[in-house]
Amino acid sequence: EPEVTQTPSHQVTQMGQEVILRCVPISNHLYFYWYRQILGQKVEFLVSFYNNEISEKSEIFDDQFSVERPDGSNFTLKIRSTKLEDSAMYFCASRKGQGSYNEQFFGPGTRLTVL
Amino acid sequence: AQSVTQPDIHITVSEGASLELRCNYSYGATPYLFWYVQSPGQGLQLLLKYFSGDTLVQGIKGFEAEFKRSQSSFNLRKPSVHWSDAAEYFCAVGVIQAGTALIFGKGTTLSVSS
């Protein structure tokens, strides 16, 4: 069964450093998402991406964040200068998007720890 | 603005007992509704979804949920809980537009006692 994959599973970085989180969505899916979950809190939407551009973003997704689909398979989230409060689990999701609404499939997440 | 409320932060049930996790949503039209489960250290797995039609939906692992428009609720149920069901459960709402994000509730942690 196809699944969303994410690398790395755990990333530790120093405050102020840039990090890139990587995701490989399910191959025939058209919509891609990033969410984050700060420890003990709910899952929060960051950004959605369709047709090589951002379709929605939340207030969390400020200028320190960017997303890219550098090739036909990867979808990345870059945090330009990490802050302590960026420590969270980051989930990538994808959905098919053709026709009627359909569900999002989530990857296993990348745990980001900012020291 | 859309929102999802899961009133129970933590629930403990005995193995073999029935379970109901509550979820209420706030949205002006009929939403798309989901329940996801997250085991410790794991990602989010879709349990079931409601898009339209029959208001009682069946999911994986023996779970079911009932959409009640009059109560703006989408409660998750299981007739007999197994120890492996211990996890965090999230209710989520999707808006009827292509590409729109899911809005999650804060989650309910389920503990199963023997």
Side-chain angles (χ1 to χ4, degrees), chain B residues 11-80:
Chain B
I11 285 182
T12 300
V13 299
S14 300
E15 190 169 15
S18 64
L19 169 71
E20 182 169 28
L21 302 182
R22 294 182 291 165
C23 173
N24 294 95
Y25 66 89
S26 171
Y27 181 55
T30 301
Y32 294 132
L33 296 160
F34 306 84
W35 276 99
Y36 284 87
V37 61
Q38 183 183 32
S39 298
Q42 303 298 310
L44 296 164
Q45 182 182 24
L46 181 68
L47 281 177
L48 45 76
K49 62 187 186 243
Y50 171 77
F51 288 171
S52 64
D54 193 346
T55 56
L56 184 64
V57 293
Q58 303 296 321
I60 63 171
K61 305 184 181 185
F63 285 92
E64 66 178 27
E66 186 172 12
F67 170 57
K68 293 186 177 180
R69 184 190 306 274
S70 61
Q71 298 176 18
S72 298
S73 69
F74 188 57
N75 293 348
L76 181 72
R77 301 194 294 248
K78 186 170 184 177
S80 177

Side-chain angles (χ1 to χ4, degrees), chain A residues 49-68:
Chain A
F49 192 85
Y50 169 72
N51 199 26
N52 284 317
E53 61 182 24
I54 291 173
S55 51
E56 292 177 285
K57 59 182 181 179
S58 72
E59 62 272 14
I60 302 168
F61 194 86
D62 61 22
D63 291 344
Q64 292 299 310
F65 292 90
S66 62
V67 289
E68 193 178 29

Side-chain angles (χ1 to χ4, degrees), chain A residues 25-41:
Chain A
I26 295 173
S27 63
N28 62 345
H29 284 192
L30 302 178
Y31 292 86
F32 314 118
Y33 303 82
W34 284 101
Y35 293 81
R36 79 171 185 192
Q37 184 184 29
I38 295 171
L39 187 64
Q41 299 187 24

Side-chain angles (χ1 to χ4, degrees), chain A residues 95-110:
Chain A
R95 71 177 182 94
K96 195 178 290 186
Q98 290 168 325
S100 60
Y101 195 92
N102 34 57
E103 66 266 31
Q104 296 177 27
F105 292 84
F106 284 78
T110 293

Side-chain angles (χ1 to χ4, degrees), chain B residues 93-106:
Chain B
V93 167
V95 177
I96 306 174
Q97 289 175 4
T100 301
L102 291 178
I103 298 163
F104 284 84
K106 291 186 176 182

